Amino acid sequence: MYAKAVLGLLPRSRPAELPSTVLTTAITVDRAHLARYNEVCGFRHGDILPATYPHVLGFAAMMRLMTGWDFPFPVVGLVHIANRITQVRPIRADEPLELSVHAADLRPHRRGRQFDIVMTGTVDGEEVWREVSTNLRRGSSPSTVSAGGDASTESESERGSERELPAAQAFWRVARSDADAYAEVSGDRNPIHTSYLGARLLGFPRPIAHGMWTKARLLAALAGHLPESFTVDVAFKAPILLPAKVGFAVPDGRDLIVFGKRPHLVGTLR
């Protein structure tokens, strides 16, 4: 898939619209893999899937979709700017989970164009989980982009990002080894996370933490305080350059923030 991603940088004619493809995968949870994911992200071990774990289970399907020849953008250079997960109910590791992935809502953004990768999880035909990952393609925002909002449109979590930094409720030290471990367990081996050369080629002085590791680590810190049904909506702001020390806070039980000298992740829990 990464070879296809690199080949996607070669100049060629691309479609103007997102594909209508829907990829569906039947999932059998590997308990050893789940245990390793829990260890890497800070979750307690157990038979209930963390709310961020289906993202990892569907990552290969997401990559297949975005590296297809009918996709309008090369996957290299896309920026994951926001992620919303809704857990309808807890999912047990022994349940027959089915994941479906499709692209939706190509629309302008003030820095280019954005679109969503939507993943749904069902058990026996009942939707139990949903994720919307918003990705940005930097560049001009032509008038031919599909309708879906103007270029200034931002998620609720993005609009709430301009705030005074709160007092940290805890601090995390994030090492290079954390990025390597998450890359291995998630399959997301983007070199901006694992290689100094890869990071520098894409404009970062050092490797950066995975945004979905940061979100998972935040939810792990809230273990025991989350309801069975919830939505957690975050925007990824400044990257976490590794190694780093970051603070996190949930100042009012609803707003979420991970920050250093400035916010790295902001969001809401409802």
Side-chain angles (χ1 to χ4, degrees):
M1 287 187 293
Y2 278 98
K4 288 181 65 178
V6 173
L7 289 174
L9 293 173
L10 297 174
R12 65 178 177 85
S13 176
R14 287 183 175 271
E17 302 293 334
L18 295 169
S20 59
T21 306
V22 178
L23 300 179
T24 301
T25 307
I27 300 295
T28 300
V29 173
D30 181 328
R31 298 299 185 99
H33 183 265
L34 173 60
R36 178 59 178 154
Y37 178 86
N38 287 338
E39 179 183 342
V40 168
C41 298
F43 291 103
R44 301 170 184 170
H45 293 293
D47 290 329
I48 299 299
L49 305 187
T52 47
Y53 187 61
H55 171 89
V56 169
L57 298 177
F59 181 75
M62 294 172 63
M63 284 291 291
R64 283 200 301 273
L65 180 68
M66 292 193 293
T67 55
W69 288 96
D70 57 351
F71 208 77
F73 311 112
V75 69
V76 176
L78 293 177
V79 183
H80 189 188
I81 59 173
N83 181 273
R84 182 173 72 250
I85 288 174
T86 297
Q87 177 177 287
V88 179
R89 66 161 176 83
I91 306 170
R92 298 192 316 275
D94 62 352
E95 291 190 283
L97 181 65
E98 185 173 86
L99 293 175
S100 295
V101 180
H102 69 277
D105 200 11
L106 179 62
R107 59 201 187 273
H109 184 281
R110 66 183 185 279
R111 295 191 182 98
R113 288 179 283 177
Q114 61 185 329
F115 62 91
D116 298 328
I117 298 295
V118 181
M119 190 185 311
T120 58
T122 60
V123 174
D124 296 330
E126 171 199 5
E127 184 173 314
V128 295
W129 181 91
R130 173 176 287 262
E131 176 187 63
V132 179
S133 291
T134 302
N135 295 271
L136 169 67
R137 176 64 180 178
R138 291 192 180 103
S140 60
S141 184
S143 59
T144 56
V145 175
S146 300
D150 62 35
S152 63
T153 300
E154 294 181 325
S155 69
E156 179 182 352
S157 55
E158 288 180 294
R159 291 194 298 270
S161 65
E162 300 300 327
R163 66 186 73 177
E164 183 178 350
L165 295 177
Q169 293 172 235
F171 289 96
W172 309 328
R173 292 193 179 277
V174 191
R176 271 288 315 280
S177 58
D178 292 316
D180 292 338
Y182 186 80
E184 179 182 358
V185 78
S186 68
D188 185 353
R189 296 181 175 86
N190 188 323
I192 65 173
H193 303 299
T194 60
S195 162
Y196 275 93
L197 177 59
R200 287 171 180 164
L201 287 174
L202 291 171
F204 300 102
R206 305 194 300 275
I208 65 174
H210 295 76
M212 288 304 295
W213 176 88
T214 308
K215 182 171 184 176
R217 183 66 184 84
L218 176 62
L219 291 183
L222 298 175
H225 302 281
L226 294 171
E228 290 193 345
S229 177
F230 62 87
T231 294
V232 58
D233 187 6
V234 306
F236 302 114
K237 311 303 285 185
I240 300 176
L241 299 174
L242 300 175
K245 178 182 177 181
V246 298
F248 94 93
V250 188
D252 56 6
R254 182 177 184 272
D255 291 332
L256 311 169
I257 182 168
V258 176
F259 60 96
K261 293 182 179 179
R262 53 181 176 165
H264 297 299
L265 173 154
V266 297
T268 57
L269 175 68
R270 60 184 186 275

